[in-house]
mmCIF file with all atom_site columns, all heavy atoms in Angstrom:
data_model
loop_
_atom_site.group_PDB
_atom_site.id
_atom_site.type_symbol
_atom_site.label_atom_id
_atom_site.label_alt_id
_atom_site.label_comp_id
_atom_site.label_asym_id
_atom_site.label_entity_id
_atom_site.label_seq_id
_atom_site.pdbx_PDB_ins_code
_atom_site.Cartn_x
_atom_site.Cartn_y
_atom_site.Cartn_z
_atom_site.occupancy
_atom_site.B_iso_or_equiv
_atom_site.pdbx_formal_charge
_atom_site.auth_seq_id
_atom_site.auth_comp_id
_atom_site.auth_asym_id
_atom_site.auth_atom_id
_atom_site.pdbx_PDB_model_num
ATOM 1  N N   . LEU A 1 3   ? -18.033 -8.292 -18.176 1.00 86.00 ? 21  LEU A N   1
ATOM 2  C CA  . LEU A 1 3   ? -19.324 -7.583 -18.161 1.00 86.00 ? 21  LEU A CA  1
ATOM 3  C C   . LEU A 1 3   ? -19.868 -7.753 -19.556 1.00 86.00 ? 21  LEU A C   1
ATOM 4  O O   . LEU A 1 3   ? -19.676 -6.880 -20.434 1.00 86.00 ? 21  LEU A O   1
ATOM 5  C CB  . LEU A 1 3   ? -19.120 -6.126 -17.793 1.00 86.00 ? 21  LEU A CB  1
ATOM 6  C CG  . LEU A 1 3   ? -18.491 -5.842 -16.393 1.00 86.00 ? 21  LEU A CG  1
ATOM 7  C CD1 . LEU A 1 3   ? -18.442 -4.363 -16.138 1.00 86.00 ? 21  LEU A CD1 1
ATOM 8  C CD2 . LEU A 1 3   ? -19.315 -6.563 -15.290 1.00 86.00 ? 21  LEU A CD2 1
ATOM 9  N N   . ARG A 1 41  ? -22.854 0.676  -21.004 1.00 94.00 ? 59  ARG A N   1
ATOM 10 C CA  . ARG A 1 41  ? -21.701 1.436  -21.463 1.00 94.00 ? 59  ARG A CA  1
ATOM 11 C C   . ARG A 1 41  ? -20.797 1.746  -20.263 1.00 94.00 ? 59  ARG A C   1
ATOM 12 O O   . ARG A 1 41  ? -21.262 1.907  -19.160 1.00 94.00 ? 59  ARG A O   1
ATOM 13 C CB  . ARG A 1 41  ? -22.096 2.766  -22.133 1.00 94.00 ? 59  ARG A CB  1
ATOM 14 C CG  . ARG A 1 41  ? -22.955 2.658  -23.351 1.00 94.00 ? 59  ARG A CG  1
ATOM 15 C CD  . ARG A 1 41  ? -22.954 3.973  -24.136 1.00 94.00 ? 59  ARG A CD  1
ATOM 16 N NE  . ARG A 1 41  ? -23.243 5.103  -23.259 1.00 94.00 ? 59  ARG A NE  1
ATOM 17 C CZ  . ARG A 1 41  ? -23.128 6.365  -23.642 1.00 94.00 ? 59  ARG A CZ  1
ATOM 18 N NH1 . ARG A 1 41  ? -22.686 6.682  -24.858 1.00 94.00 ? 59  ARG A NH1 1
ATOM 19 N NH2 . ARG A 1 41  ? -23.412 7.371  -22.800 1.00 94.00 ? 59  ARG A NH2 1
ATOM 20 N N   . ASP A 1 58  ? -1.702  26.447 1.079   1.00 91.00 ? 76  ASP A N   1
ATOM 21 C CA  . ASP A 1 58  ? -1.674  26.270 2.502   1.00 91.00 ? 76  ASP A CA  1
ATOM 22 C C   . ASP A 1 58  ? -1.216  24.871 2.916   1.00 91.00 ? 76  ASP A C   1
ATOM 23 O O   . ASP A 1 58  ? -1.092  24.551 4.108   1.00 91.00 ? 76  ASP A O   1
ATOM 24 C CB  . ASP A 1 58  ? -3.039  26.589 3.125   1.00 91.00 ? 76  ASP A CB  1
ATOM 25 C CG  . ASP A 1 58  ? -4.114  25.574 2.684   1.00 91.00 ? 76  ASP A CG  1
ATOM 26 O OD1 . ASP A 1 58  ? -3.828  24.722 1.827   1.00 91.00 ? 76  ASP A OD1 1
ATOM 27 O OD2 . ASP A 1 58  ? -5.274  25.648 3.162   1.00 91.00 ? 76  ASP A OD2 1
ATOM 28 N N   . ALA A 1 70  ? -0.959  3.382  -5.693  1.00 96.00 ? 88  ALA A N   1
ATOM 29 C CA  . ALA A 1 70  ? 0.504   3.485  -5.824  1.00 96.00 ? 88  ALA A CA  1
ATOM 30 C C   . ALA A 1 70  ? 0.943   4.916  -5.814  1.00 96.00 ? 88  ALA A C   1
ATOM 31 O O   . ALA A 1 70  ? 1.890   5.345  -5.184  1.00 96.00 ? 88  ALA A O   1
ATOM 32 C CB  . ALA A 1 70  ? 0.973   2.787  -7.093  1.00 96.00 ? 88  ALA A CB  1
ATOM 33 N N   . ASP A 1 80  ? 2.342   8.990  8.019   1.00 96.00 ? 98  ASP A N   1
ATOM 34 C CA  . ASP A 1 80  ? 2.150   7.592  8.487   1.00 96.00 ? 98  ASP A CA  1
ATOM 35 C C   . ASP A 1 80  ? 0.759   7.080  8.216   1.00 96.00 ? 98  ASP A C   1
ATOM 36 O O   . ASP A 1 80  ? 0.561   5.936  7.785   1.00 96.00 ? 98  ASP A O   1
ATOM 37 C CB  . ASP A 1 80  ? 2.461   7.510  9.984   1.00 96.00 ? 98  ASP A CB  1
ATOM 38 C CG  . ASP A 1 80  ? 3.954   7.649  10.292  1.00 96.00 ? 98  ASP A CG  1
ATOM 39 O OD1 . ASP A 1 80  ? 4.728   7.502  9.353   1.00 96.00 ? 98  ASP A OD1 1
ATOM 40 O OD2 . ASP A 1 80  ? 4.238   7.861  11.487  1.00 96.00 ? 98  ASP A OD2 1
ATOM 41 N N   . ALA A 1 99  ? -5.914  0.173  -9.040  1.00 93.00 ? 117 ALA A N   1
ATOM 42 C CA  . ALA A 1 99  ? -7.036  0.559  -8.175  1.00 93.00 ? 117 ALA A CA  1
ATOM 43 C C   . ALA A 1 99  ? -6.934  2.034  -7.852  1.00 93.00 ? 117 ALA A C   1
ATOM 44 O O   . ALA A 1 99  ? -5.855  2.563  -7.576  1.00 93.00 ? 117 ALA A O   1
ATOM 45 C CB  . ALA A 1 99  ? -7.011  -0.250 -6.923  1.00 93.00 ? 117 ALA A CB  1
ATOM 46 N N   . ASN A 1 104 ? -12.368 3.016  -4.687  1.00 96.00 ? 122 ASN A N   1
ATOM 47 C CA  . ASN A 1 104 ? -12.489 2.390  -3.352  1.00 96.00 ? 122 ASN A CA  1
ATOM 48 C C   . ASN A 1 104 ? -13.594 3.060  -2.525  1.00 96.00 ? 122 ASN A C   1
ATOM 49 O O   . ASN A 1 104 ? -14.346 2.388  -1.816  1.00 96.00 ? 122 ASN A O   1
ATOM 50 C CB  . ASN A 1 104 ? -11.140 2.455  -2.645  1.00 96.00 ? 122 ASN A CB  1
ATOM 51 C CG  . ASN A 1 104 ? -11.107 1.600  -1.368  1.00 96.00 ? 122 ASN A CG  1
ATOM 52 O OD1 . ASN A 1 104 ? -11.089 2.091  -0.303  1.00 96.00 ? 122 ASN A OD1 1
ATOM 53 N ND2 . ASN A 1 104 ? -11.155 0.272  -1.550  1.00 96.00 ? 122 ASN A ND2 1
ATOM 54 N N   . ARG A 1 170 ? -1.530  14.651 14.954  1.00 97.00 ? 188 ARG A N   1
ATOM 55 C CA  . ARG A 1 170 ? -1.112  13.366 15.532  1.00 97.00 ? 188 ARG A CA  1
ATOM 56 C C   . ARG A 1 170 ? -2.237  12.335 15.331  1.00 97.00 ? 188 ARG A C   1
ATOM 57 O O   . ARG A 1 170 ? -3.414  12.621 15.557  1.00 97.00 ? 188 ARG A O   1
ATOM 58 C CB  . ARG A 1 170 ? -0.888  13.486 17.026  1.00 97.00 ? 188 ARG A CB  1
ATOM 59 C CG  . ARG A 1 170 ? 0.334   14.304 17.409  1.00 97.00 ? 188 ARG A CG  1
ATOM 60 C CD  . ARG A 1 170 ? 0.384   14.481 18.913  1.00 97.00 ? 188 ARG A CD  1
ATOM 61 N NE  . ARG A 1 170 ? 0.449   13.196 19.579  1.00 97.00 ? 188 ARG A NE  1
ATOM 62 C CZ  . ARG A 1 170 ? -0.166  12.951 20.759  1.00 97.00 ? 188 ARG A CZ  1
ATOM 63 N NH1 . ARG A 1 170 ? -0.861  13.885 21.391  1.00 97.00 ? 188 ARG A NH1 1
ATOM 64 N NH2 . ARG A 1 170 ? -0.090  11.744 21.325  1.00 97.00 ? 188 ARG A NH2 1
ATOM 65 N N   . ILE A 1 197 ? -10.192 14.267 20.804  1.00 94.00 ? 215 ILE A N   1
ATOM 66 C CA  . ILE A 1 197 ? -9.807  13.173 19.952  1.00 94.00 ? 215 ILE A CA  1
ATOM 67 C C   . ILE A 1 197 ? -11.046 12.753 19.101  1.00 94.00 ? 215 ILE A C   1
ATOM 68 O O   . ILE A 1 197 ? -12.134 12.632 19.577  1.00 94.00 ? 215 ILE A O   1
ATOM 69 C CB  . ILE A 1 197 ? -9.380  11.938 20.808  1.00 94.00 ? 215 ILE A CB  1
ATOM 70 C CG1 . ILE A 1 197 ? -8.114  12.280 21.581  1.00 94.00 ? 215 ILE A CG1 1
ATOM 71 C CG2 . ILE A 1 197 ? -9.146  10.691 19.921  1.00 94.00 ? 215 ILE A CG2 1
ATOM 72 C CD1 . ILE A 1 197 ? -7.633  11.182 22.502  1.00 94.00 ? 215 ILE A CD1 1
#
Side-chain angles (χ1 to χ4, degrees):
L21 301 182
R59 298 195 310 169
D76 66 356
D98 289 344
N122 192 248
R188 291 176 57 216
I215 296 177

